[in-house]
Amino acid sequence: MPRHNERKYRAVSALQRRIGNPILRRLPFQTLLETTGRTSGLPRPTPVGGRRVGDSFWLVSEFGERSQYVRNIKADPRVRVRLRGRWHTGTAHLLPDDDPIARLRGLPRMNSTAVRAMGSGLLTVRVDLDG
């Protein structure tokens, strides 16, 4: 990873971990992706932006396979997604062959803009929601 991208990753990750995520997780209608910690086995809720399309929820990980929730998905793809205050179970799929920039065009504009500006190594994630 180029040095600029590494600095960006460290800065954005620290900001999200210490300030953004703790605040956003508390907002009742913030969309959350809950994975199972690959080491701890504990639930790990992460604020995300994305969109439900039919029985799937789509999002783009701003740091791809470096994101902790993506690493958790690789270990256990069973997840929960909180949409509009309601939890849904599902199975997450990492889609490295999908075009994440094109995918972002169909997702909420504010989040998509932030992901493009702050991210590197983007990765599309689809969650197939259960019933």
Side-chain angles (χ1 to χ4, degrees):
M1 177 178 279
R3 184 173 285 159
H4 169 74
N5 287 346
E6 180 63 26
R7 282 194 302 258
K8 183 193 277 190
Y9 169 77
R10 287 177 186 263
V12 172
S13 293
L15 183 66
Q16 288 173 338
R17 187 172 39 256
R18 292 187 180 105
I19 299 170
N21 290 353
I23 292 169
L24 291 173
R25 274 194 294 263
R26 296 176 194 269
L27 299 177
F29 288 98
Q30 168 66 45
T31 300
L32 295 177
L33 174 68
E34 184 182 83
T35 60
T36 301
R38 60 194 175 281
T39 304
S40 69
L42 297 173
R44 299 295 184 199
T46 303
V48 296
R51 174 166 284 141
R52 184 174 184 164
V53 179
D55 289 333
S56 296
F57 179 77
W58 292 84
L59 68 130
V60 174
S61 169
E62 65 190 338
F63 290 111
E65 295 197 16
R66 292 192 75 181
S67 295
Q68 296 301 315
Y69 68 86
V70 170
R71 294 170 75 186
N72 289 340
I73 288 168
K74 288 174 97 173
D76 181 0
R78 297 294 303 160
V79 300
R80 293 194 321 153
V81 180
R82 187 175 76 182
L83 300 167
R84 297 185 179 136
R86 186 166 172 252
W87 286 100
H88 305 269
T89 59
T91 304
H93 303 275
L94 306 178
L95 305 172
D97 294 332
D98 191 66
D99 181 351
I101 299 296
R103 183 68 57 194
L104 284 169
R105 290 187 200 109
L107 300 180
R109 186 175 298 164
M110 288 276 287
N111 178 260
S112 295
T113 301
V115 168
R116 274 194 298 271
M118 293 188 279
S120 63
L122 306 180
L123 176 66
T124 302
V125 179
R126 183 189 76 231
V127 178
D128 293 334
L129 302 171
D130 299 335

